[in-house]
Amino acid sequence: MSLKVGIVGLPNVGKSTLFNALTKQQAEAQNFPFTTIEPNVGVVTVPDERLNKLTELSKSAKTVPTVIEFVDIAGLVAGAHEGEGLGNKFLSHIREVDALVHVVRFFEDGNVLHVANTVNPMEDAATIETELALADLDSITHALPRAKDAAKTVQMGSGKIDKNAVPRYEVMQKLHAHLSEGLPARDLQLEDDTWALVQDLHLLTTKPVLYLANVSEQQMKDSDNVLKDFKVKHSPVLPLSVKIEQELVELSEEERMVFLAEYGLAETGLHRLIQESYKLLNLITFFTTGEKETRAWTVQNGSSAPQAAGKIHSDFERGFIRAETIAYTDLIGTGSYAAARAAGKVRDEGKEYLVKDGDIMIFKFSV
């Protein structure tokens, strides 16, 4: 499963610096707009302490974490939907990702330019949101005439009958009205099968968003108060000092823990960002473990046991019989697979079973 999270925001809010810290790459980060033209892509492992504990328990020769791709997308500006600042090109990059991390600048620094010459998190966030909504409105506006003709053809009983033509046109009308008010498409209450009717439009504002508040070192110490007003309108929000995270990457593990303790934190902001991005995509992790390998696998929350099996190999899903399953906490609590089995913690689950985060599974199949 290739999962992509796009990092978006105005120019000079810290996107490329964040990307560099996340991926330990050196994407160009400069103090002027549009440094990034083509998106930078980096693969980041999802930190999960359960993976290491399972490796120790199974004495595995190899450990394989799950990963997310982060895409550093160029800064958008007002008028992007009309092509300002190469906006159309940058918006097309956003269409290709599964979720967005929207970086909003809170820190004040006279040495770092701001495209509007003043730092205003509410207005900055609104600029990006408006541009994405207007881009979606353009998409809907251009697609509506064809959808109307298709619906009219069905209603007149002529031509090829498309059972989705009328409901598709109706939902597009609702979306057009909604987006015309500057509201993101995701706020429109529709059933999943209704959303499927317009999936081909690849609307930008249907993508889940995590707001990353790029705060100063001082603001980080009082982030609850700093973000209080912003959180009223935006959710979820993760406070993070990109400058601090950049410094943390350069430290040893021991120095890093001392640094974090000064801020009352148990882990880096980057780890929290990766984990929150994973949640944003509504993903869960299940594990396979043994002497050869302990591996984390990614599935959508609500996936069945056969669907999980299919992540390993299509034959596993096609010939699925059952899944020998144990919860992570039960395995760690008993200390070994044999002890867990003796304690009745190992279960046989069938085709209807919905995988839970932390499940350790052995699939039985026949093809």
Side-chain angles (χ1 to χ4, degrees):
M1 179 183 287
S2 179
L3 303 161
K4 288 187 178 181
V5 176
I7 302 173
V8 301
L10 290 172
N12 292 352
V13 296
K15 298 185 307 301
S16 293
T17 307
L18 172 67
F19 177 84
N20 288 340
L22 267 172
T23 62
K24 299 178 179 62
Q25 294 186 25
Q26 289 301 313
E28 192 173 359
Q30 298 291 341
N31 185 21
F32 54 87
F34 310 123
T35 305
T36 304
I37 303 296
E38 292 301 322
N40 300 301
V41 181
V43 178
V44 178
T45 60
V46 177
D48 193 329
E49 63 178 12
R50 297 173 298 182
L51 195 60
N52 294 330
K53 289 185 178 180
L54 287 173
T55 296
E56 290 174 18
L57 186 144
S58 298
K59 297 181 173 60
S60 304
K62 185 179 177 184
T63 305
V64 184
T66 190
V67 298
I68 295 179
E69 282 187 26
F70 280 90
V71 184
D72 176 24
I73 296 168
L76 296 171
V77 294
H81 73 287
E82 296 176 329
E84 279 297 316
L86 301 179
N88 290 330
K89 185 174 184 179
F90 299 160
L91 288 168
S92 71
H93 297 154
I94 297 174
R95 294 191 196 282
E96 297 169 7
V97 301
D98 302 297
L100 300 173
V101 169
H102 181 169
V103 182
V104 182
R105 177 176 168 178
F106 278 73
F107 69 89
E108 296 277 357
D109 187 338
N111 295 318
V112 181
L113 300 174
H114 187 287
V115 288
N117 297 317
T118 180
V119 175
N120 187 321
M122 285 287 202
E123 287 189 11
D124 290 355
T127 296
I128 299 298
E129 290 157 2
T130 299
E131 288 308 314
L132 297 182
L134 288 172
D136 281 349
L137 183 60
D138 281 351
S139 296
I140 291 286
T141 301
H142 284 104
L144 262 176
R146 188 182 300 173
K148 183 179 180 179
D149 289 344
K152 190 175 180 181
T153 298
V154 171
Q155 289 167 334
M156 293 175 63
S158 59
K160 185 179 179 181
I161 300 299
D162 178 0
K163 65 178 182 180
N164 291 325
V166 174
R168 174 179 161 83
Y169 176 55
E170 289 173 350
V171 72
M172 285 174 65
Q173 286 180 302
K174 289 179 183 177
L175 278 165
H176 189 274
H178 185 79
L179 290 163
S180 294
E181 296 179 24
L183 300 171
R186 76 180 73 85
D187 287 353
L188 189 61
Q189 300 299 311
L190 297 173
E191 298 295 328
D192 287 347
D193 55 350
T194 305
W195 277 119
L197 296 171
V198 290
Q199 193 172 8
D200 62 310
L201 294 174
H202 304 291
L203 298 178
L204 302 171
T205 60
T206 57
K207 299 179 187 297
V209 178
L210 169 67
Y211 294 90
L212 189 149
N214 188 5
V215 296
S216 68
E217 199 167 328
Q218 195 60 40
Q219 287 172 322
M220 191 69 197
K221 296 176 180 177
D222 191 28
S223 61
D224 285 345
N225 283 327
V226 171
L227 301 180
K228 186 170 66 174
D229 292 339
F230 189 81
K231 282 183 174 179
V232 172
K233 191 173 180 183
H234 303 89
S235 177
V237 182
L238 176 67
L240 186 148
S241 170
V242 174
K243 186 177 180 182
I244 291 175
E245 297 301 323
Q246 192 178 25
E247 293 171 5
L248 283 171
V249 169
E250 306 301 324
L251 298 179
S252 68
E253 183 64 27
E254 186 178 340
E255 290 172 321
R256 194 177 297 135
M257 296 313 294
V258 172
F259 196 108
L260 289 171
E262 291 180 18
Y263 291 87
L265 299 172
E267 58 184 348
T268 67
L270 294 181
H271 276 199
R272 286 181 288 129
L273 169 59
I274 296 164
Q275 289 162 342
E276 288 299 318
S277 299
Y278 197 72
K279 290 178 187 173
L280 193 67
L281 291 164
N282 196 27
L283 303 174
I284 60 172
T285 301
F286 75 91
F287 302 97
T288 53
T289 186
E291 287 186 8
K292 286 186 178 180
E293 175 186 278
T294 291
R295 182 186 289 256
W297 301 89
T298 298
V299 290
Q300 287 287 332
N301 193 7
S303 294
S304 67
Q307 288 172 325
K311 295 297 175 185
I312 299 174
H313 197 286
S314 57
D315 284 350
F316 285 26
E317 182 172 7
R318 187 159 50 90
F320 180 89
I321 299 172
R322 60 187 173 86
E324 199 172 90
T325 307
I326 179 172
Y328 169 81
T329 51
D330 288 338
L331 180 57
I332 297 299
T334 53
S336 72
Y337 212 94
R341 188 184 295 280
K345 299 294 186 181
V346 180
R347 316 180 309 271
D348 276 341
E349 301 290 0
K351 293 181 178 181
E352 303 304 316
Y353 178 70
L354 299 183
V355 179
K356 296 179 177 60
D357 186 62
D359 276 348
I360 297 147
M361 310 185 87
I362 298 174
F363 297 105
K364 308 295 183 183
F365 69 102
S366 175
V367 280

